[in-house]
Amino acid sequence: MTEKSFILKPNTHTLENGSVTWSSPSNIALVKYWGKKQHQIPENPSISFTLDNCKTITNLTYASKDSRSGFSFDVFLDGEQKDSFKSKIETFFKRIEQYVPFLKDYHFIIKTSNTFPHSSGIASSASGMSALALCLMSIEKELSEDISEEFFKQKASFLARLGSGSACRSVEGDLIVWGSHKAIVGSSDLFGVKYPYNVHQNFKNYQDTILLVDKGEKQVSSTVGHNLMHNHPFATRRFEQAHKNMSQLMNVFENGDLDAFVNIVESEALTLHAMMMTSLPYFILMKPNTLEIINKIWSYRNTNNSKVCFTLDAGANVHVLYPENEKDSVLEFIKNELVVYCQNGQYICDQIGFGAKQLIDE
Ligand code: DP6
């Protein structure tokens, strides 16, 4: 597939107005995407667990209008008009217009809500952009002749990527690869694909408890962060390392070696932060409590022969990952020893999920 394959053919049907709703989850990367080229092309392949409970629900209503008036839309978050979201969506529309040329033919009302608290420090761009991309694909489906399910998902992921890179990994589950890797057949820089090989039972229903350490505004936006990888002194080696970690994870998914899993995942998280600490300008996005939690996880793992581990996004919150068979014990450990480091004691229990779903409009 190339970019050209996603250019919409002339419409076969017409559509005056309508409404569509999608629910799309967040995802957590195991091998991180950090650094991109023009047009949202990643510098290295990444792989993520799709989440189940943390999601965005977006309802898109559309009514036809004169296309000469340009893009026209209103955005609401939890029922409140959110003009601050408009510029991000306008940028998204501009980037995808050549692939969905009907954008200017409608006035859109975008009503969105998240299942996780806003200002939780959890990025809603992956779930939000994928939900919006899926709504647009539902319109495309109405306007066109035959669209296969596979093409629908691929193009939704392709569009979502143009909104926010990691969003392309939220359309499906449970394990999604984005970025071309020589050993993963079908992997592409343009969209996310389901990991195509056997995955060991150990990873079934893998748990992710998100500890909200710092709910403040992001210190550095991901776009600024990605750009700091241009001319970064360690960039080339980092991108090579990501390819290698992907290859190693493939063995881990095959043989279920959780000790090796822990090593790769934690090393990826710390490397992401190391890249931020060694860029110019430099950032420390962990907080003292992030480190307290990491140390507690390490000591719990050693004393209990546990396979619990952590990963991080570009912020201070900690994702605690563990196999289903440790669910009760690790949750007990989190409540007893880690919740004290969370802002207002807040955390979110989640687990591996299977991707976005269309909801039936009332
Ligand atoms: C650290 O997908 O938010 O979460 O493409 O600029 O929107 P943009 O970036 P974004 O970057 C996410 C980076 C990360 C790692 C990851 O999810 O792979």
Side-chain angles (χ1 to χ4, degrees):
M1 295 293 263
T2 63
E3 269 110 338
K4 280 212 180 84
S5 348
F6 295 110
I7 293 177
L8 188 57
K9 301 194 181 66
N11 300 343
T12 43
H13 302 178
T14 53
L15 198 58
E16 276 301 308
N17 52 49
S19 167
V20 57
T21 306
W22 277 88
S23 153
S24 190
S26 185
N27 67 73
I28 180 69
L30 305 171
V31 172
K32 307 288 181 182
Y33 147 56
W34 198 243
K36 61 179 165 187
K37 302 175 197 156
Q38 248 202 324
H39 307 304
Q40 299 282 103
I41 297 300
E43 290 277 12
N44 64 259
S46 58
I47 187 164
S48 53
F49 281 153
T50 303
L51 296 183
D52 197 28
N53 299 328
C54 290
K55 22 183 202 213
T56 297
I57 294 135
T58 297
N59 166 258
L60 184 70
T61 53
Y62 50 97
S64 65
K65 66 160 189 66
D66 186 339
S67 62
R68 284 171 299 185
S69 57
F71 297 129
S72 170
F73 61 91
D74 292 306
V75 201
F76 297 82
L77 174 66
D78 297 329
E80 274 187 40
Q81 189 140 12
K82 266 281 184 197
D83 286 344
S84 56
F85 284 13
K86 284 191 107 170
S87 72
K88 216 171 171 190
I89 293 174
E90 176 111 18
T91 306
F92 177 48
F93 279 6
K94 279 185 193 146
R95 285 186 192 157
I96 63 173
E97 196 195 354
Q98 59 169 313
Y99 305 106
V100 274
F102 57 80
L103 285 180
K104 286 184 177 152
D105 298 342
Y106 296 100
H107 174 73
F108 295 105
I109 298 174
I110 305 164
K111 290 190 209 136
T112 187
S113 61
N114 299 321
T115 57
F116 45 90
H118 31 274
S119 74
S120 58
I122 300 188
S124 58
S125 63
S127 51
M129 284 299 177
S130 52
L132 185 53
L134 284 153
C135 288
L136 293 171
M137 279 311 293
S138 288
I139 300 179
E140 170 162 335
K141 197 174 167 193
E142 293 286 314
L143 288 170
S144 329
E145 206 52 63
D146 289 328
I147 290 192
S148 70
E149 194 156 332
E150 197 195 351
F151 180 81
F152 184 97
K153 283 186 188 151
Q154 237 169 39
K155 185 163 173 183
S157 174
F158 173 87
L159 296 177
R161 183 197 100 242
L162 293 167
S164 177
S166 56
C168 78
R169 299 188 312 238
S170 277
V171 171
E172 290 184 274
D174 43 351
L175 201 48
I176 302 294
V177 180
W178 167 42
S180 144
H181 184 277
K182 64 176 185 332
I184 304 181
V185 172
S187 58
S188 167
D189 285 347
L190 300 180
F191 46 82
V193 295
K194 240 174 120 70
Y195 179 73
Y197 307 114
N198 189 39
V199 178
H200 195 278
Q201 274 294 100
N202 283 351
F203 296 99
K204 196 166 167 249
N205 296 332
Y206 224 74
Q207 304 290 305
D208 179 5
T209 302
I210 309 163
L211 306 180
L212 305 180
V213 172
D214 183 38
K215 304 193 288 162
E217 275 281 300
K218 269 190 175 180
Q219 243 189 79
V220 49
S221 77
S222 45
T223 299
V224 171
H226 288 291
N227 284 339
L228 293 173
M229 290 304 279
H230 297 140
N231 304 319
H232 190 294
F234 309 133
T236 312
R237 295 307 302 273
R238 157 59 196 155
F239 303 142
E240 282 166 17
Q241 177 202 38
H243 280 268
K244 211 166 124 212
N245 282 343
M246 282 287 270
S247 302
Q248 283 175 2
L249 258 191
M250 290 175 72
N251 294 332
V252 167
F253 287 134
E254 176 67 37
N255 62 26
D257 180 348
L258 290 176
D259 293 315
F261 178 78
V262 164
N263 285 337
I264 298 166
V265 168
E266 291 190 346
S267 164
E268 274 288 321
L270 294 177
T271 301
L272 169 70
H273 282 254
M275 289 299 111
M276 283 182 262
M277 285 193 240
T278 50
S279 54
L280 278 175
Y282 41 79
F283 297 93
I284 299 181
L285 301 182
M286 289 190 242
K287 296 284 182 201
N289 281 351
T290 312
L291 287 174
E292 294 284 0
I293 290 169
I294 291 176
N295 280 308
K296 286 275 180 183
I297 289 176
W298 285 346
S299 97
Y300 177 87
R301 193 162 71 219
N302 285 338
T303 38
N304 295 280
N305 191 25
S306 162
K307 309 298 177 198
V308 65
C309 72
F310 70 87
T311 187
L312 307 165
D313 269 340
N317 295 335
V318 181
H319 287 250
V320 185
L321 301 177
Y322 46 102
E324 192 183 25
N325 66 5
E326 291 194 44
K327 191 170 169 178
D328 296 340
S329 49
V330 171
L331 211 48
E332 202 55 28
F333 156 63
I334 290 173
K335 283 185 200 151
N336 293 340
E337 296 193 45
L338 303 185
V339 167
V340 288
Y341 301 112
C342 299
Q343 217 174 341
N344 307 325
Q346 274 188 293
Y347 62 98
I348 298 171
C349 290
D350 211 335
Q351 61 175 17
I352 270 204
F354 295 91
K357 289 191 189 77
Q358 182 165 11
L359 307 181
I360 303 303
D361 281 17
E362 287 141 21

